[in-house]
Amino acid sequence: MHPVIAAPIVAGPVDAATWDGFVHALGRLGDWALDLGGQMGPYVPIAVAGTVVWLIWLTRALLSWTAPAIESDFRTTTSVVVPSYHEDVDILMDCLATWREQDPTEIIIVLDVADTEAHRRITALGDDRIQPILFHHVGKRSALGVGIRAAQGEILVLVDSDTRWTPGLLQNVQKPFVDPDVGGVSTQQNVYQRTSSLWRRVADWLVNLRYLDYVPAQGRFGAVACLSGRTAAYRASAAKPVVRDMEDEFFLERRCIAGDDGRLTWLVLASGYRTVHQRSAKALSMFPSTFRAFVKQRVRWSRNSYRCYLTAIFKGWLWRVPAITKVTVLQILLTPVTMGMTIAYLLLSRLELTEAGIVATVLWLVVTRGMRGISHLREHPLDIVILPVVVLVVIFVALPVKVFALVTMNKQGWLTRSAHSLGGDGQTSTTLTAAAPVAEPALAAVPSRVLAAEPVGPVDPVEPGGTVAPEHAASVEVAS
């Protein structure tokens, strides 16, 4: 075989016409780039901001998607604490059945003094693990305080009276407490009978994304910003010392009624404990079936968030938690500002009021919201049909609802519950798909207590349902 020798490359003279053509093409390319830059220049601010927001979302989502359930053999005594104010009795009894099935050490249900039918039916169960307490409610916090002080378990599981547990919740929610630094545990949450109403489907979409894309990332770093009161577990030694501070929270000199879960979470974090998420512990809660009640619930939640997170900032608590929680909290606080600036920028500066311009904007809103909803759509692909509704709801909540909540954040009240009716607004048993009734045993004697509240200092006058009523200032009492 003969070696192949490459011929040397000899540079020849460059044709003048070829060179002039190359220079001309390069010049045209430069002109095109400058022209494109001039056209795209006005979009640079929103492009930069959008890139940052999407990178934050993607980082948090990836951290959440890859967060495993926490496993351990840790088990101990558990006290289930349930504040119940004028709950629909059928719903309360259905939920109670799911708590009993998981065999907690004790279940403490703090009923309002007027809830005699619920007391009768609970007593009729003849279960000595259940301790019903009749108490004059002055907002949810007062009832929580009574239940927490009465609890004997090492782990306190605080549960809303309209929340059901899926199998294994109690066992799984204890596992993270193998770490002595863990003071609180968040649970995975969804809407009960999510397909029974359009607004429940929308709520389930939004709640599902919170627990699929947001909370697990915070939990990985030990700082879940809010352990939702629908079901959350606390180490008793972490929660009991701060009960008084949870009950007696004042914001701009007014006693806080709602927002107990966020307040307790930050008190535990400020005490040096970690708050984590347990994705294998799943709860199902009642949500409003009507648009009116849906909006009222969002207003209450937004007011709670503003008060809670602004307090965390001013107290310095926020600056001591990991960056992922800082960023998430700041995004929540700034939602109406960022959403308002984006829409105003598009409408006033960039949107061409042509058919093509309007269609492009609508498609951009729908496609980007669909991308952010991918976690939910993987579980419920048929919900793609309500994507346009979700887009409108997200904008509505981010702007008018949150702006209204911001300017009225110190207006105290529960909004979705009343002293004159049973169950939450749009959340009674009549709004659900009928299920077979659960048989209850005959009336049996079970110990119960009636507690009277004792004054503990200056209190904003509050009606039993939690709405401010200045004319009744002299009659208000708070649990000690």
Side-chain angles (χ1 to χ4, degrees), residues 29 32 61 72 93 140 157 195 216 255 265 322 384 395 419 424 449:
L29 180 63
W32 177 82
S72 79
M93 299 306 294
K140 182 181 175 183
V157 188
T195 59
R255 179 178 289 276
T265 300
I384 192 71
I395 295 173
R449 290 189 287 165

Side-chain angles (χ1 to χ4, degrees), residues 31-53:
D31 291 341
W32 177 82
L34 290 173
D35 183 57
L36 179 63
Q39 294 178 22
M40 296 301 294
Y43 294 95
V44 169
I46 195 170
V48 171
T51 300
V52 171
V53 169

Side-chain angles (χ1 to χ4, degrees), residues 114-127:
D115 292 330
T116 54
E117 173 63 14
H119 184 271
R120 183 192 68 79
R121 290 179 61 177
I122 292 170
T123 304
L125 296 175
D127 189 337

Side-chain angles (χ1 to χ4, degrees), residues 260-304:
D260 49 276
D261 48 5
R263 174 66 169 176
L264 188 54
T265 300
W266 281 95
L267 289 171
V268 169
L269 283 169
S271 300
Y273 288 95
R274 302 172 70 239
T275 56
V276 300
H277 180 67
Q278 179 61 303
R279 68 188 323 148
S280 59
K282 185 174 180 179
L284 301 173
S285 289
M286 289 288 293
F287 274 71
S289 61
T290 64
F291 177 69
R292 180 173 179 272
F294 175 90
V295 172
K296 287 163 69 175
Q297 186 181 65
R298 295 283 157 174
V299 168
R300 187 183 81 233
W301 286 355
S302 297
R303 286 172 176 168
N304 295 344

Side-chain angles (χ1 to χ4, degrees), residues 355-366:
E355 182 177 341
I358 293 172
V359 169
T361 301
V362 171
L363 283 176
W364 174 73
L365 290 171
V366 172

